[in-house]
Amino acid sequence: MDKMVKENIFDNFYKGRKVFITGHTGFKGSWLSIMLNWLGADVYGYALKPHTNPSLYELANIDQLVSSTKGDIRDYNLLLATLKEVQPEIIIHLAAQALVMESYKNPRETYEINVMGTVNLLDAARQVKSVKAVLNVTTDKCYDNKEWHWGYRENEPMGGYDPYSNSKGCSELVTSSFRNSFFNPKDYEKHCIALASARAGNVIGGGDWADDRLIPDFIRAIMRGEKLKIRSPYAIRPWQHVLEPLTGYLMLCKKLYVSGPSFAEGWNFGPDDKDAKNVEWITKRICELWADGASFEIDKSPQPHEANYLKLDCSKAKTLLDWHPSWDIETTLQMIVDWNKAYKNKNDMREVSIKQIEKYLFHNK
Ligand SMILES: NC(=O)c1ccc[n+]([C@@H]2O[C@H](COP(=O)([O-])OP(=O)(O)OC[C@H]3O[C@@H](n4cnc5c(N)ncnc54)[C@H](O)[C@@H]3O)[C@@H](O)[C@H]2O)c1
């Protein structure tokens, strides 16, 4: 991809910019690290070691692209010391216990990481003079799910049924309190920090090996030559490729940095309605795209409660950030199959990921 394309998308804003990502060793953090490095940013990361094997972080040798600190978000002193040393301009907070099923097993730890982790990060950020923009990444599950059919807007109340969703609702409330108390847009001239949060849906893409997520479970089953067992075949989810919200986060961070307080609020990043499909539809379609005898069956054993479809109203991001979903579900699934076939064929996965990033950003030009 030529230099012109890179420059057109974010107007070269990220070139040489110091960006600090928490959770850079995870699925979204790894993609974001590759993307920011590709855009010429100076990328710093703070997280635990990759918690899956394999991981995109290791396959793409992201340690070579990012100045990485392996630390716990609950370790306030280490986090503060790292931020003071790095002096970042932009912080994107992704570090979290990110799984609903795990949150049923370990609710205390989920709250400690997701709520106190956010408190630690925001409290540390206010002590570092270089910081101008902070984005807390939560989820669509942070909303009080009334199981209705229209989209949730950013000013809807927080909630969350299971500990993961609820901890993210709490993380949103923490963000809002810090914005009122320490980063108030009215006093922007004094503190110079714009703080926002981003709520995205079910994010999918190559390089995810988390437990209890449909696509990773499916890829694992395919690689082992087994039938995939699916739970909740009729559950509809707002599937979107990982590059969709990540592009939204980067558009938003640029606005926070350049225009400050007017963008310091919550933002939804979700797919178009037509791409919300049920689990069975997604699974069938991947089987067709993968071919080679990939198949599935329905797991009828009782499962813990998972919220029904929750739709985001993304009018705000579309209107004010000019962010729009770009890859439909067909393209997204094709990208996932291509990525995993390349992985199966032992290709260079950093290169494969960069090619997909280029395709995505070129499409968005
Ligand atoms: N993947 C999705 O579908 C999705 C959807 C909406 C929101 N999100 C949110 O996006 C963010 C990233 O999600 P992901 O899918 O990449 O998750 P992931 O589990 O792949 O990565 C989580 C990251 O957080 C780090 N982390 C976990 N506990 C930590 C701790 N105690 N201290 C320091 N770092 C810690 C991990 O090391 C890893 O880098 C999370 O905040 C998640 O809630 C994800």
Side-chain angles (χ1 to χ4, degrees):
M1 188 66 41
D2 63 27
K3 201 165 152 276
M4 205 181 73
V5 174
K6 283 193 192 186
E7 287 176 3
N8 278 348
I9 296 149
F10 298 104
D11 294 326
N12 221 11
F13 170 78
Y14 283 99
K15 191 152 191 279
R17 192 77 59 201
K18 266 192 178 182
V19 185
F20 187 90
I21 308 172
T22 71
H24 67 298
T25 58
F27 166 53
K28 283 166 90 173
S30 294
W31 276 98
L32 185 60
S33 300
I34 300 173
M35 202 169 168
L36 277 166
N37 178 270
W38 185 82
L39 290 166
D42 208 355
V43 191
Y44 296 80
Y46 185 99
L48 303 178
K49 286 190 199 137
H51 60 100
T52 61
N53 184 19
S55 68
L56 174 56
Y57 189 83
E58 277 163 345
L59 284 175
N61 281 314
I62 292 175
D63 257 339
Q64 293 171 350
L65 310 179
V66 173
S67 304
S68 179
T69 302
K70 301 289 155 41
D72 198 304
I73 201 77
R74 291 165 291 182
D75 183 346
Y76 177 73
N77 292 333
L78 179 62
L79 180 63
L80 177 61
T82 310
L83 277 171
K84 280 187 169 166
E85 195 189 319
V86 171
Q87 294 286 319
E89 300 167 272
I90 295 171
I91 300 176
I92 303 178
H93 179 45
L94 294 166
Q97 192 302 94
L99 300 171
V100 173
M101 293 301 165
E102 178 63 24
S103 81
Y104 279 116
K105 290 183 208 143
N106 285 309
R108 278 190 58 235
E109 190 173 53
T110 301
Y111 280 101
E112 280 166 11
I113 296 170
N114 295 358
V115 185
M116 280 315 292
T118 306
V119 172
N120 286 346
L121 193 262
L122 297 181
D123 196 59
R126 73 195 183 97
Q127 299 179 53
V128 181
K129 284 274 163 280
S130 57
V131 177
K132 288 200 68 183
V134 183
L135 178 64
N136 180 22
V137 172
T138 65
T139 168
D140 58 350
K141 297 184 173 71
C142 68
Y143 291 109
D144 183 19
N145 188 348
K146 301 196 171 71
E147 312 261 330
W148 61 31
H149 297 288
W150 48 94
Y152 288 77
R153 291 188 186 157
E154 285 85 348
N155 55 3
E156 228 85 52
M158 294 295 116
Y161 182 107
D162 57 88
Y164 166 70
S165 308
N166 186 260
S167 70
K168 286 290 188 172
C170 294
S171 173
E172 283 281 352
L173 295 177
V174 166
T175 307
S176 159
S177 167
F178 267 74
R179 186 166 45 235
N180 290 333
S181 311
F182 308 111
F183 310 125
N184 198 306
K186 279 193 246 135
D187 305 323
Y188 181 72
E189 296 309 320
K190 288 188 209 143
H191 54 74
C192 295
I193 292 185
L195 167 62
S197 61
R199 303 143 191 182
N202 268 49
V203 178
I204 54 179
D208 190 7
W209 279 277
D211 289 333
D212 296 318
R213 281 185 187 158
L214 177 66
I215 305 289
D217 284 348
F218 193 64
I219 298 299
R220 270 188 292 267
I222 286 176
M223 298 289 178
R224 290 190 205 123
E226 290 169 5
K227 238 183 203 179
L228 171 72
K229 278 196 171 174
I230 56 168
R231 311 184 298 261
S232 325
Y234 308 116
I236 298 173
R237 298 278 176 257
W239 316 96
Q240 59 184 344
H241 194 276
V242 60
L243 294 175
E244 300 276 4
L246 294 186
T247 301
Y249 302 164
L250 293 182
M251 286 175 160
L252 175 55
C253 283
K254 181 181 168 192
K255 289 282 192 194
L256 290 171
Y257 188 97
V258 175
S259 311
S262 48
F263 290 84
E265 42 190 45
W267 296 83
N268 288 342
F269 296 99
D272 286 330
D273 280 8
K274 67 176 173 34
D275 291 321
K277 301 285 187 195
N278 73 32
V279 168
E280 189 176 25
W281 188 95
I282 296 283
T283 316
K284 270 191 184 147
R285 193 67 196 114
I286 305 185
C287 284
E288 286 159 10
L289 291 170
W290 189 279
D292 270 348
S295 61
F296 69 97
E297 62 190 345
I298 294 166
D299 181 351
K300 296 205 173 97
S301 63
Q303 301 292 332
H305 175 276
E306 275 194 83
N308 285 321
Y309 179 40
L310 192 154
K311 188 159 71 176
L312 292 174
D313 179 331
C314 301
S315 315
K316 192 165 99 171
K318 289 176 184 170
T319 311
L320 300 179
L321 300 176
D322 201 18
W323 172 87
H324 299 272
S326 173
W327 279 352
D328 61 13
I329 190 68
E330 275 295 326
T331 313
T332 296
L333 295 181
Q334 186 65 60
M335 290 298 158
I336 292 172
V337 166
D338 291 350
W339 196 99
N340 281 289
K341 289 215 164 184
Y343 165 67
K344 195 170 177 229
N345 293 331
K346 300 194 184 340
N347 290 1
D348 177 332
M349 295 321 291
R350 188 197 291 174
E351 231 171 67
V352 171
S353 306
I354 289 174
K355 287 256 158 58
Q356 295 205 338
I357 289 169
E358 288 175 342
K359 221 178 245 175
Y360 182 87
L361 293 180
F362 182 63
H363 183 96
N364 253 343
K365 191 161 73 105

PDB file of all heavy atoms in Angstrom, residues 124-148:
ATOM      1  N   ALA A 124      -3.984   7.433  37.344  1.00  0.00           N
ATOM      2  CA  ALA A 124      -2.579   7.591  36.931  1.00  0.00           C
ATOM      3  C   ALA A 124      -2.487   8.617  35.796  1.00  0.00           C
ATOM      4  O   ALA A 124      -1.589   9.464  35.787  1.00  0.00           O
ATOM      5  CB  ALA A 124      -2.012   6.237  36.494  1.00  0.00           C
ATOM      6  N   ALA A 125      -3.449   8.556  34.864  1.00  0.00           N
ATOM      7  CA  ALA A 125      -3.398   9.450  33.691  1.00  0.00           C
ATOM      8  C   ALA A 125      -3.426  10.919  34.110  1.00  0.00           C
ATOM      9  O   ALA A 125      -2.789  11.766  33.490  1.00  0.00           O
ATOM     10  CB  ALA A 125      -4.565   9.151  32.752  1.00  0.00           C
ATOM     11  N   ARG A 126      -4.172  11.206  35.184  1.00  0.00           N
ATOM     12  CA  ARG A 126      -4.278  12.629  35.553  1.00  0.00           C
ATOM     13  C   ARG A 126      -2.994  13.166  36.177  1.00  0.00           C
ATOM     14  O   ARG A 126      -2.861  14.357  36.432  1.00  0.00           O
ATOM     15  CB  ARG A 126      -5.500  12.882  36.431  1.00  0.00           C
ATOM     16  CG  ARG A 126      -5.413  12.386  37.852  1.00  0.00           C
ATOM     17  CD  ARG A 126      -6.792  12.377  38.471  1.00  0.00           C
ATOM     18  NE  ARG A 126      -6.747  11.977  39.861  1.00  0.00           N
ATOM     19  CZ  ARG A 126      -6.723  12.831  40.879  1.00  0.00           C
ATOM     20  NH1 ARG A 126      -6.737  14.127  40.669  1.00  0.00           N
ATOM     21  NH2 ARG A 126      -6.672  12.377  42.117  1.00  0.00           N
ATOM     22  N   GLN A 127      -2.031  12.262  36.408  1.00  0.00           N
ATOM     23  CA  GLN A 127      -0.761  12.707  36.979  1.00  0.00           C
ATOM     24  C   GLN A 127       0.350  12.790  35.932  1.00  0.00           C
ATOM     25  O   GLN A 127       1.520  12.974  36.272  1.00  0.00           O
ATOM     26  CB  GLN A 127      -0.350  11.743  38.088  1.00  0.00           C
ATOM     27  CG  GLN A 127      -1.400  11.732  39.197  1.00  0.00           C
ATOM     28  CD  GLN A 127      -1.042  10.779  40.285  1.00  0.00           C
ATOM     29  OE1 GLN A 127       0.056  10.861  40.815  1.00  0.00           O
ATOM     30  NE2 GLN A 127      -1.939   9.876  40.589  1.00  0.00           N
ATOM     31  N   VAL A 128      -0.017  12.603  34.682  1.00  0.00           N
ATOM     32  CA  VAL A 128       0.999  12.599  33.625  1.00  0.00           C
ATOM     33  C   VAL A 128       0.687  13.735  32.653  1.00  0.00           C
ATOM     34  O   VAL A 128      -0.319  13.702  31.939  1.00  0.00           O
ATOM     35  CB  VAL A 128       1.018  11.222  32.905  1.00  0.00           C
ATOM     36  CG1 VAL A 128       2.078  11.189  31.826  1.00  0.00           C
ATOM     37  CG2 VAL A 128       1.270  10.106  33.906  1.00  0.00           C
ATOM     38  N   LYS A 129       1.532  14.721  32.669  1.00  0.00           N
ATOM     39  CA  LYS A 129       1.273  15.985  31.960  1.00  0.00           C
ATOM     40  C   LYS A 129       1.122  15.848  30.445  1.00  0.00           C
ATOM     41  O   LYS A 129       0.398  16.610  29.810  1.00  0.00           O
ATOM     42  CB  LYS A 129       2.418  16.979  32.247  1.00  0.00           C
ATOM     43  CG  LYS A 129       2.342  17.604  33.617  1.00  0.00           C
ATOM     44  CD  LYS A 129       1.425  18.844  33.600  1.00  0.00           C
ATOM     45  CE  LYS A 129       0.965  19.293  34.970  1.00  0.00           C
ATOM     46  NZ  LYS A 129      -0.136  18.543  35.540  1.00  0.00           N
ATOM     47  N   SER A 130       1.796  14.858  29.855  1.00  0.00           N
ATOM     48  CA  SER A 130       1.784  14.739  28.391  1.00  0.00           C
ATOM     49  C   SER A 130       0.433  14.281  27.842  1.00  0.00           C
ATOM     50  O   SER A 130       0.136  14.484  26.663  1.00  0.00           O
ATOM     51  CB  SER A 130       2.845  13.723  27.967  1.00  0.00           C
ATOM     52  OG  SER A 130       2.583  12.481  28.613  1.00  0.00           O
ATOM     53  N   VAL A 131      -0.396  13.656  28.694  1.00  0.00           N
ATOM     54  CA  VAL A 131      -1.621  13.008  28.204  1.00  0.00           C
ATOM     55  C   VAL A 131      -2.657  14.040  27.758  1.00  0.00           C
ATOM     56  O   VAL A 131      -2.990  14.962  28.498  1.00  0.00           O
ATOM     57  CB  VAL A 131      -2.240  12.099  29.298  1.00  0.00           C
ATOM     58  CG1 VAL A 131      -3.548  11.478  28.818  1.00  0.00           C
ATOM     59  CG2 VAL A 131      -1.259  11.017  29.719  1.00  0.00           C
ATOM     60  N   LYS A 132      -3.177  13.858  26.528  1.00  0.00           N
ATOM     61  CA  LYS A 132      -4.200  14.779  26.025  1.00  0.00           C
ATOM     62  C   LYS A 132      -5.520  14.067  25.731  1.00  0.00           C
ATOM     63  O   LYS A 132      -6.574  14.683  25.728  1.00  0.00           O
ATOM     64  CB  LYS A 132      -3.710  15.447  24.730  1.00  0.00           C
ATOM     65  CG  LYS A 132      -2.611  16.467  24.970  1.00  0.00           C
ATOM     66  CD  LYS A 132      -2.497  17.434  23.807  1.00  0.00           C
ATOM     67  CE  LYS A 132      -3.728  18.343  23.724  1.00  0.00           C
ATOM     68  NZ  LYS A 132      -3.698  19.246  22.586  1.00  0.00           N
ATOM     69  N   ALA A 133      -5.432  12.767  25.421  1.00  0.00           N
ATOM     70  CA  ALA A 133      -6.656  12.034  25.059  1.00  0.00           C
ATOM     71  C   ALA A 133      -6.642  10.663  25.709  1.00  0.00           C
ATOM     72  O   ALA A 133      -5.626   9.966  25.667  1.00  0.00           O
ATOM     73  CB  ALA A 133      -6.745  11.893  23.546  1.00  0.00           C
ATOM     74  N   VAL A 134      -7.765  10.285  26.336  1.00  0.00           N
ATOM     75  CA  VAL A 134      -7.884   8.950  26.930  1.00  0.00           C
ATOM     76  C   VAL A 134      -9.187   8.324  26.430  1.00  0.00           C
ATOM     77  O   VAL A 134     -10.258   8.954  26.491  1.00  0.00           O
ATOM     78  CB  VAL A 134      -7.914   9.001  28.475  1.00  0.00           C
ATOM     79  CG1 VAL A 134      -7.971   7.592  29.058  1.00  0.00           C
ATOM     80  CG2 VAL A 134      -6.712   9.757  29.038  1.00  0.00           C
ATOM     81  N   LEU A 135      -9.075   7.089  25.942  1.00  0.00           N
ATOM     82  CA  LEU A 135     -10.269   6.371  25.498  1.00  0.00           C
ATOM     83  C   LEU A 135     -10.409   5.083  26.302  1.00  0.00           C
ATOM     84  O   LEU A 135      -9.510   4.237  26.300  1.00  0.00           O
ATOM     85  CB  LEU A 135     -10.157   6.022  24.002  1.00  0.00           C
ATOM     86  CG  LEU A 135     -11.343   5.225  23.448  1.00  0.00           C
ATOM     87  CD1 LEU A 135     -12.629   6.035  23.524  1.00  0.00           C
ATOM     88  CD2 LEU A 135     -11.076   4.788  22.007  1.00  0.00           C
ATOM     89  N   ASN A 136     -11.533   4.942  27.007  1.00  0.00           N
ATOM     90  CA  ASN A 136     -11.821   3.697  27.726  1.00  0.00           C
ATOM     91  C   ASN A 136     -12.721   2.836  26.855  1.00  0.00           C
ATOM     92  O   ASN A 136     -13.834   3.235  26.500  1.00  0.00           O
ATOM     93  CB  ASN A 136     -12.517   4.015  29.065  1.00  0.00           C
ATOM     94  CG  ASN A 136     -12.828   2.745  29.841  1.00  0.00           C
ATOM     95  OD1 ASN A 136     -12.204   1.699  29.633  1.00  0.00           O
ATOM     96  ND2 ASN A 136     -13.792   2.826  30.740  1.00  0.00           N
ATOM     97  N   VAL A 137     -12.236   1.639  26.535  1.00  0.00           N
ATOM     98  CA  VAL A 137     -12.994   0.738  25.668  1.00  0.00           C
ATOM     99  C   VAL A 137     -13.850  -0.180  26.534  1.00  0.00           C
ATOM    100  O   VAL A 137     -13.318  -0.985  27.309  1.00  0.00           O
ATOM    101  CB  VAL A 137     -12.041  -0.092  24.785  1.00  0.00           C
ATOM    102  CG1 VAL A 137     -12.810  -1.164  24.018  1.00  0.00           C
ATOM    103  CG2 VAL A 137     -11.303   0.828  23.821  1.00  0.00           C
ATOM    104  N   THR A 138     -15.161  -0.037  26.437  1.00  0.00           N
ATOM    105  CA  THR A 138     -16.040  -0.946  27.185  1.00  0.00           C
ATOM    106  C   THR A 138     -16.731  -1.868  26.178  1.00  0.00           C
ATOM    107  O   THR A 138     -16.039  -2.533  25.417  1.00  0.00           O
ATOM    108  CB  THR A 138     -17.005  -0.184  28.110  1.00  0.00           C
ATOM    109  OG1 THR A 138     -17.897   0.598  27.324  1.00  0.00           O
ATOM    110  CG2 THR A 138     -16.248   0.699  29.093  1.00  0.00           C
ATOM    111  N   THR A 139     -18.045  -1.908  26.158  1.00  0.00           N
ATOM    112  CA  THR A 139     -18.744  -2.872  25.288  1.00  0.00           C
ATOM    113  C   THR A 139     -20.203  -2.461  25.138  1.00  0.00           C
ATOM    114  O   THR A 139     -20.731  -1.703  25.977  1.00  0.00           O
ATOM    115  CB  THR A 139     -18.676  -4.290  25.923  1.00  0.00           C
ATOM    116  OG1 THR A 139     -19.571  -5.150  25.236  1.00  0.00           O
ATOM    117  CG2 THR A 139     -19.059  -4.297  27.389  1.00  0.00           C
ATOM    118  N   ASP A 140     -20.880  -3.018  24.129  1.00  0.00           N
ATOM    119  CA  ASP A 140     -22.322  -2.771  24.010  1.00  0.00           C
ATOM    120  C   ASP A 140     -23.075  -3.370  25.201  1.00  0.00           C
ATOM    121  O   ASP A 140     -24.169  -2.946  25.537  1.00  0.00           O
ATOM    122  CB  ASP A 140     -22.860  -3.340  22.683  1.00  0.00           C
ATOM    123  CG  ASP A 140     -22.615  -4.837  22.510  1.00  0.00           C
ATOM    124  OD1 ASP A 140     -21.870  -5.427  23.316  1.00  0.00           O
ATOM    125  OD2 ASP A 140     -23.178  -5.416  21.556  1.00  0.00           O
ATOM    126  N   LYS A 141     -22.443  -4.368  25.851  1.00  0.00           N
ATOM    127  CA  LYS A 141     -23.120  -5.045  26.966  1.00  0.00           C
ATOM    128  C   LYS A 141     -23.215  -4.170  28.214  1.00  0.00           C
ATOM    129  O   LYS A 141     -23.798  -4.563  29.212  1.00  0.00           O
ATOM    130  CB  LYS A 141     -22.377  -6.343  27.313  1.00  0.00           C
ATOM    131  CG  LYS A 141     -22.387  -7.362  26.178  1.00  0.00           C
ATOM    132  CD  LYS A 141     -21.714  -8.658  26.621  1.00  0.00           C
ATOM    133  CE  LYS A 141     -21.851  -9.757  25.601  1.00  0.00           C
ATOM    134  NZ  LYS A 141     -21.059  -9.561  24.394  1.00  0.00           N
ATOM    135  N   CYS A 142     -22.598  -2.972  28.189  1.00  0.00           N
ATOM    136  CA  CYS A 142     -22.646  -2.081  29.367  1.00  0.00           C
ATOM    137  C   CYS A 142     -24.047  -1.514  29.583  1.00  0.00           C
ATOM    138  O   CYS A 142     -24.379  -1.077  30.680  1.00  0.00           O
ATOM    139  CB  CYS A 142     -21.634  -0.950  29.229  1.00  0.00           C
ATOM    140  SG  CYS A 142     -22.039   0.219  27.911  1.00  0.00           S
ATOM    141  N   TYR A 143     -24.894  -1.516  28.537  1.00  0.00           N
ATOM    142  CA  TYR A 143     -26.229  -0.927  28.673  1.00  0.00           C
ATOM    143  C   TYR A 143     -27.168  -1.826  29.462  1.00  0.00           C
ATOM    144  O   TYR A 143     -27.020  -3.046  29.455  1.00  0.00           O
ATOM    145  CB  TYR A 143     -26.839  -0.672  27.289  1.00  0.00           C
ATOM    146  CG  TYR A 143     -26.148   0.438  26.530  1.00  0.00           C
ATOM    147  CD1 TYR A 143     -25.353   0.170  25.424  1.00  0.00           C
ATOM    148  CD2 TYR A 143     -26.271   1.761  26.947  1.00  0.00           C
ATOM    149  CE1 TYR A 143     -24.713   1.189  24.738  1.00  0.00           C
ATOM    150  CE2 TYR A 143     -25.627   2.782  26.260  1.00  0.00           C
ATOM    151  CZ  TYR A 143     -24.851   2.491  25.157  1.00  0.00           C
ATOM    152  OH  TYR A 143     -24.213   3.501  24.495  1.00  0.00           O
ATOM    153  N   ASP A 144     -28.140  -1.190  30.104  1.00  0.00           N
ATOM    154  CA  ASP A 144     -29.215  -1.938  30.744  1.00  0.00           C
ATOM    155  C   ASP A 144     -30.055  -2.530  29.616  1.00  0.00           C
ATOM    156  O   ASP A 144     -30.766  -1.796  28.919  1.00  0.00           O
ATOM    157  CB  ASP A 144     -30.041  -0.973  31.606  1.00  0.00           C
ATOM    158  CG  ASP A 144     -31.129  -1.705  32.368  1.00  0.00           C
ATOM    159  OD1 ASP A 144     -31.016  -2.936  32.516  1.00  0.00           O
ATOM    160  OD2 ASP A 144     -32.093  -1.046  32.796  1.00  0.00           O
ATOM    161  N   ASN A 145     -29.946  -3.855  29.429  1.00  0.00           N
ATOM    162  CA  ASN A 145     -30.574  -4.503  28.271  1.00  0.00           C
ATOM    163  C   ASN A 145     -32.060  -4.740  28.532  1.00  0.00           C
ATOM    164  O   ASN A 145     -32.436  -5.624  29.295  1.00  0.00           O
ATOM    165  CB  ASN A 145     -29.864  -5.830  27.974  1.00  0.00           C
ATOM    166  CG  ASN A 145     -30.332  -6.443  26.673  1.00  0.00           C
ATOM    167  OD1 ASN A 145     -31.325  -6.012  26.095  1.00  0.00           O
ATOM    168  ND2 ASN A 145     -29.615  -7.453  26.205  1.00  0.00           N
ATOM    169  N   LYS A 146     -32.886  -3.957  27.872  1.00  0.00           N
ATOM    170  CA  LYS A 146     -34.336  -4.074  28.090  1.00  0.00           C
ATOM    171  C   LYS A 146     -34.944  -5.043  27.094  1.00  0.00           C
ATOM    172  O   LYS A 146     -36.166  -5.146  27.006  1.00  0.00           O
ATOM    173  CB  LYS A 146     -34.980  -2.692  27.984  1.00  0.00           C
ATOM    174  CG  LYS A 146     -34.409  -1.714  29.014  1.00  0.00           C
ATOM    175  CD  LYS A 146     -35.312  -0.501  29.170  1.00  0.00           C
ATOM    176  CE  LYS A 146     -34.901   0.376  30.332  1.00  0.00           C
ATOM    177  NZ  LYS A 146     -33.642   1.103  30.105  1.00  0.00           N
ATOM    178  N   GLU A 147     -34.095  -5.712  26.335  1.00  0.00           N
ATOM    179  CA  GLU A 147     -34.529  -6.725  25.359  1.00  0.00           C
ATOM    180  C   GLU A 147     -35.526  -6.130  24.380  1.00  0.00           C
ATOM    181  O   GLU A 147     -36.458  -6.799  23.952  1.00  0.00           O
ATOM    182  CB  GLU A 147     -35.137  -7.947  26.075  1.00  0.00           C
ATOM    183  CG  GLU A 147     -34.305  -8.476  27.217  1.00  0.00           C
ATOM    184  CD  GLU A 147     -33.442  -9.698  26.870  1.00  0.00           C
ATOM    185  OE1 GLU A 147     -33.841 -10.468  26.012  1.00  0.00           O
ATOM    186  OE2 GLU A 147     -32.366  -9.840  27.475  1.00  0.00           O
ATOM    187  N   TRP A 148     -35.346  -4.859  24.037  1.00  0.00           N
ATOM    188  CA  TRP A 148     -36.225  -4.277  23.026  1.00  0.00           C
ATOM    189  C   TRP A 148     -35.551  -4.321  21.662  1.00  0.00           C
ATOM    190  O   TRP A 148     -34.423  -4.787  21.537  1.00  0.00           O
ATOM    191  CB  TRP A 148     -36.676  -2.868  23.436  1.00  0.00           C
ATOM    192  CG  TRP A 148     -35.588  -1.834  23.613  1.00  0.00           C
ATOM    193  CD1 TRP A 148     -34.393  -1.768  22.939  1.00  0.00           C
ATOM    194  CD2 TRP A 148     -35.592  -0.716  24.506  1.00  0.00           C
ATOM    195  NE1 TRP A 148     -33.675  -0.683  23.354  1.00  0.00           N
ATOM    196  CE2 TRP A 148     -34.380  -0.002  24.316  1.00  0.00           C
ATOM    197  CE3 TRP A 148     -36.506  -0.209  25.436  1.00  0.00           C
ATOM    198  CZ2 TRP A 148     -34.057   1.162  25.022  1.00  0.00           C
ATOM    199  CZ3 TRP A 148     -36.170   0.947  26.128  1.00  0.00           C
ATOM    200  CH2 TRP A 148     -34.961   1.605  25.933  1.00  0.00           C
TER     201      TRP A 148
END
